[in-house]
Amino acid sequence: MRHFTNVHDLGNLQLALQEAFDIKADRYKYCELGKNKTLMMIFFNSSLRTRLSTQKAAMNLGMNVMVLDVNQGAWKLETERGVVMDGDKPEHLLEAIPVMSCYCDIIGVRSFARFENRRDDYEEKILNQFIQYSSRPVISMESATRHPLQSFADLITIEEYKKTDRPKVVMSWAPHPKSLPQAVPNSFAEWMNATDYEFVITHPKGYELDPAFVGNARVEYDQEKAFEGADFIYAKNWSAYNESDYGKVLSKDMSWTVDERKMKLTNNAYFMHCLPVRRNMIVTDDVIESENSLVIPEAANREISAQTVLKKILESL
Ligand code: AN0
Ligand code: CP
């Protein structure tokens, strides 16, 4: 594997899952593989889990790790070509990328959707520049449209906890005060569509995701109907995708918060969320603290998804 930006980069998903479970059984088995290799993680946005789990995964493989927070301590980066750089950004991405790549063997990048222009976000302008100009394998640590390390960890978690071969997985929009990207729901949908699970998406009207990600999922506008018989509830907020409202918060309807009453409609479903989560907006205290909440094992599996990806890339260097 060269780059990791979406589900297809992993190749056969069942084999990748087997590899993940093999790593989980003994995460130090390949501790020599990354010797004298360096991972550089570049963050344009905040992170707790991605930063720590990916660093831990790299250390398990014997790698060295460097972390750069672009907006804290580094020069502010211009990303557009042709701009007269007389403003507050002293360096251009087109120099910064090849320079950073001189110091490492694999580059991880976190660069969220900017909501300035839907086409720029959905063309993955920033991530693709890293791929084009770095000459190194690039790992998405959440790009404008996807968060594949999260979705891989989500899939590992569902495989660990599912009680039937073909569980019903429901991704539900939930309210949030600020504009959030569509990357996590897009990516989760992309990965669920790569399985044979029953996959349902529920959200208020106006929150339709890009059809390319919705794929074969059933979209149900009635949240309670969607929850009936569900084995997994995957809650997430996202902002509007449609062109005229792109990136906007259209609703903060608290009747969409995941609570105990709604969880009772399910088949004793597990609750999932990628975190960070705003309690009593997205999900009530009771549900996130319940026995059926998988948020911590799900976050723990971020180490496993990252290690599987790093191992596959190291093997092909
Ligand atoms: C981000 C998002 O929704 O994409 C990161 C989630 C992993 N969340 C926030 O910015 C709160
Ligand atoms: N789930 C996730 O990616 O969390 P962070 O934003 O804290 O990395």
Side-chain angles (χ1 to χ4, degrees), residues 33-50:
L33 187 65
K35 195 168 176 245
N36 295 337
K37 295 279 187 276
T38 300
L39 170 70
M40 183 180 287
M41 299 199 285
I42 298 158
F43 288 93
F44 287 86
N45 314 93
S46 305
S47 167
L48 186 151
R49 279 143 291 273
T50 303

Side-chain angles (χ1 to χ4, degrees), residues 110 112 142 147 176 180-181 184 236 274-276:
R110 166 163 286 201
F112 288 179
E142 186 171 339
H147 193 0
H176 189 279
L180 292 187
V184 171
K236 184 73 184 86
C274 63
L275 306 181

Side-chain angles (χ1 to χ4, degrees), residues 195-207:
T195 71
D196 61 359
Y197 303 160
E198 181 184 351
F199 180 49
V200 178
I201 304 176
T202 184
H203 57 71
K205 289 225 160 78
Y207 278 102

Side-chain angles (χ1 to χ4, degrees), residues 186-229:
N186 282 346
S187 202
F188 187 70
E190 181 173 79
W191 287 66
M192 290 300 104
N193 278 315
T195 71
D196 61 359
Y197 303 160
E198 181 184 351
F199 180 49
V200 178
I201 304 176
T202 184
H203 57 71
K205 289 225 160 78
Y207 278 102
E208 288 75 15
L209 292 165
D210 180 350
F213 289 104
V214 174
N216 297 324
R218 180 161 72 81
V219 177
E220 171 58 69
Y221 293 104
D222 181 335
Q223 190 192 31
E224 296 194 1
K225 221 163 138 193
F227 273 43
E228 282 169 19

